[in-house]
Structures are given as C-alpha cells and as structure tokens.
Amino acid sequence: MQAPASPYGDLEEVLQRAATADKTVIMTQINLAWTKPGSLLDLFFESFRLGEGGVSRLLDHLVIVTMDPAAYEQCQVVHRHCYFLRTTGVDYRSEKMFMSKDYLEMMWGRNKFQQTIVELGYNFLFTDVDVMWFRDPFRHISMGADIAISSDVFIGDPYSLGNFPNGGFLFVRSNNKTIEFYKSWQQGRWRFFGKHEQDVFNLIKHEQQAKLDIAIQFLDTTYISGFCQLSKDLNKICTLHANCCVGLGAKMHDLRGVLDVWRNYTAAPPDERRSGKFQWKLPGICIH
C-alpha cells in the first residue's frame, strides 16, 4: 500500500539532500521580487563567494524556500536545493511592506514552516536573504543552546533575556523543548493578535524559558551583526544583516556598498587588514 502523500510535497527529500551529517540545514525564504538578476539573492550568493574560511561550502546545505512558482523556477536555475512552499490567500510575488496584513501573514507562515522543520527532526539555521555571509557563523553558536537568535541590540550577556531578538538569523536545535516552544509561539499569534513573530518571541521568552528550561542564546553583534548595531571590526564579523532598514531599494544600495568594502578588505595584504584601516562606508541610507 502506498504511503499517503505528505502535505509538504517533496520537503523531506529536499531536506535529506541538503542536510549535514548531524541533520542541520541552512534555510532562506524568497519571493519573486528578490530573485530578479541583480537583486538580493545575487548579493546573498556573492557574499558567500567573497567570504573567508570556506564559507562558500555552506551553500551545499542551503535550502531556498520559495513563496511563488516563478521564484521556484528562478531558484532552480541558480541553486540545487529549492523548495516551493504552497500557501493560500496571499500573492507572494511582490515586496511586502513591513507590518502590512500580507507581511504578517508571510512572517507567521514562515514561523509555522520552521516548526515543521524541527518536528521532522532537523536543526536549522534560518537566514534572511538580506544577510551577507562573510565567515562561518556556526562557531559562535553554543553547543548548549536550544535556540540561538541574532540581536537587534546586544547588551553583552548572551543568555540575558534583556537582549532584543531578531528572527532574521535564527538557529533552532530539534528537540522536545523547541517543538513545545514553537507551539506556544504559534499560539502567541492569537494571544497577541496583530503582533509579528519577533514581538511575540519577546513577549513569551520569559515564561517559556521558565516553563521549558530552554537555553536561548542571543548572538553577539560583534560577530553576527546588523545595521541596528553595526560591528565595525571587519576582522571579526561573520554575518551582516540589513535590519533597521525598510524597503528593497534602501537595502540593496547599502549592501552593495558593504560588499564593495569587503571586496577591498579581502584583496588587501594581512597586515593592512589587521591594522583596522578598512571601514564601512558611512552613512548609507540605513547603515550608520
């Protein structure tokens, strides 16, 4: 007798192909607006290619989750591991404005999909496509962390719940604690109606940590950085997120500037790089 078809289509097959030996995948999510030549997806790939310490090999473990058929087709042209997440009720082809109804629908859909990944037994590192990858970030994720999340504002202690989280760069280890956390996170959508998933994470982190004894690590912005709290040390930075920045045009402008500086930095001799003379071009539209 044939096994019933999965509601997630070929997801398990894609995850199996992309996963590391310890069942970890890297994931990003895109729509058509971000896949056009010269758009965010191109910059994202370019950062891996310009990166150091073999960061480009991590692309072998990247699953690109596409939100519309045209983005899926485009993905297949440029990458091995593509998955089309079928959703209803929202046209995902165009850019969604921050906090619009469609934006909230998209973010909560993404959150539900992440829950499915951990329920299937895979660890994941989710990255927004406007995160530039320069060095391997996994070495900054603690082996003891159930969840490691980037920070809009990092206050110095990685285990303090006083840090301000950003779900655009998020590692989750698949275990019973994280599966329960995601169930509560999804329920929070209705408990705190109209809030996006990052706000709800902030609202439930205290009660969930106490209830589940879950280890939440907030990532240091020296290494896992963003426009909100910019790391100025190019010798230490691993990833850079165009957060605190609204609109595709503004993100593209500033990230192109970031890649220009990084390109010059990596081409320079080691002593020049160590001297600290390389700095981001400031201010940009958002970066400052």
Side-chain angles (χ1 to χ4, degrees):
M1 192 176 144
Q2 201 177 359
S6 160
Y8 287 96
D10 62 346
L11 175 61
E12 287 181 81
E13 196 185 309
V14 174
L15 292 173
Q16 233 166 0
R17 273 203 320 266
T20 61
D22 72 345
K23 293 188 79 173
T24 300
V25 292
I26 300 166
M27 295 195 308
T28 194
Q29 186 168 320
I30 57 168
N31 62 12
L32 185 60
W34 298 337
T35 62
K36 290 171 180 154
S39 193
L40 271 177
L41 186 61
D42 278 0
L43 298 186
F44 181 71
F45 279 142
E46 191 178 349
S47 73
F48 280 89
R49 285 193 291 269
L50 294 171
E52 293 195 325
V55 71
S56 59
R57 70 185 155 68
L58 295 177
L59 287 172
D60 292 343
H61 306 295
L62 172 72
V63 175
I64 299 179
V65 180
T66 60
M67 306 303 292
D68 59 82
Y72 180 66
E73 275 177 40
Q74 186 61 32
C75 176
Q76 288 182 303
V77 174
V78 295
H79 192 62
R80 281 172 60 204
H81 310 304
C82 302
Y83 176 70
F84 174 34
L85 178 59
R86 288 164 179 78
T87 48
T88 52
V90 180
D91 179 354
Y92 283 102
R93 286 169 297 188
S94 58
E95 183 187 0
K96 300 294 166 228
M97 287 319 291
F98 184 64
M99 292 308 289
S100 65
K101 183 173 174 291
D102 278 359
Y103 176 86
L104 288 173
E105 200 59 50
M106 180 170 82
M107 299 313 273
W108 281 110
R110 174 176 103 177
N111 185 265
K112 182 72 182 159
F113 181 67
Q114 291 172 349
Q115 182 181 340
T116 303
I117 303 299
V118 290
E119 286 174 347
L120 287 171
Y122 288 87
N123 318 310
F124 69 81
L125 175 50
F126 177 84
T127 171
D128 274 342
V129 77
D130 62 344
V131 175
M132 301 294 100
W133 285 54
F134 299 130
R135 295 183 178 96
D136 184 347
F138 280 100
R139 57 205 170 114
H140 296 288
I141 294 170
S142 163
M143 292 298 289
D146 297 304
I147 294 174
I149 191 165
S150 65
S151 316
D152 275 346
V153 180
F154 181 71
I155 58 173
D157 173 0
Y159 290 97
S160 166
L161 294 177
N163 289 294
F164 291 85
N166 186 305
F169 193 89
L170 169 70
F171 174 79
V172 181
R173 213 176 291 284
S174 174
N175 58 38
N176 290 337
K177 291 178 184 180
T178 55
I179 289 167
E180 285 306 311
F181 185 90
Y182 262 92
K183 287 176 183 169
S184 300
W185 200 353
Q186 275 288 315
Q187 285 161 3
R189 178 182 185 178
W190 311 111
R191 271 176 73 194
F192 307 104
F193 191 70
K195 298 269 186 202
H196 67 71
E197 92 303 349
Q198 199 167 290
D199 282 344
V200 171
F201 182 98
N202 234 353
L203 289 162
I204 68 168
K205 62 189 179 183
H206 292 274
E207 65 181 36
Q208 290 305 311
Q209 191 185 52
K211 181 178 149 193
L212 299 170
D213 189 31
I214 196 165
I216 302 173
Q217 177 192 6
F218 294 86
L219 296 165
D220 185 340
T221 50
T222 304
Y223 307 101
I224 311 300
S225 195
F227 292 176
C228 299
Q229 193 176 52
L230 184 65
S231 174
K232 305 283 169 67
D233 191 341
L234 275 71
N235 293 312
K236 290 183 178 173
I237 197 165
C238 292
T239 62
L240 180 55
H241 186 188
N243 53 11
C244 291
C245 192
V246 177
L248 189 54
K251 288 177 187 282
M252 294 286 299
H253 173 276
D254 285 5
L255 289 176
R256 281 196 189 104
V258 160
L259 287 175
D260 284 346
V261 172
W262 182 259
R263 212 178 276 110
N264 292 337
Y265 165 81
T266 53
D271 54 335
E272 246 184 82
R273 291 166 50 152
R274 280 194 297 270
S275 71
K277 70 173 251 191
F278 288 95
Q279 296 294 322
W280 307 119
K281 289 178 197 157
L282 305 176
I285 298 173
C286 302
I287 194 171
H288 59 277

